[in-house]
Amino acid sequence: MVDEAWLRVAALYKIEGSIRGCDPDHRRAVRQNSTRPLVDEFFTWLAAQAARVSRKSDSARPWPIC
């Protein structure tokens, strides 16, 4: 599960690396066309993973916000 999450985050970083230094309009377009679908899929995947965890588990507790 953790490996899958890291792979998804790495894909986002790869896209960001490829557009670093480009003009803002190009970055925005790439983010809308390439990054947005990956982020949407990632959150869907995260919700599915959270549903698999027992609500009594420490893993199911929300993280403290500092």
Side-chain angles (χ1 to χ4, degrees), residues 21-66:
C22 294
D23 66 89
D25 290 333
H26 177 71
R27 291 194 316 263
R28 185 179 310 105
V30 170
R31 287 176 178 145
Q32 288 299 313
N33 295 325
S34 300
T35 303
R36 179 68 183 253
L38 294 179
V39 170
D40 291 343
E41 290 172 14
F42 187 38
F43 277 95
T44 300
W45 179 83
L46 284 173
Q49 300 313 305
R52 295 175 50 199
V53 177
S54 168
R55 291 182 184 215
K56 295 179 181 180
S57 167
D58 285 343
S59 298
R61 293 185 335 176
W63 289 31
I65 298 175
C66 300

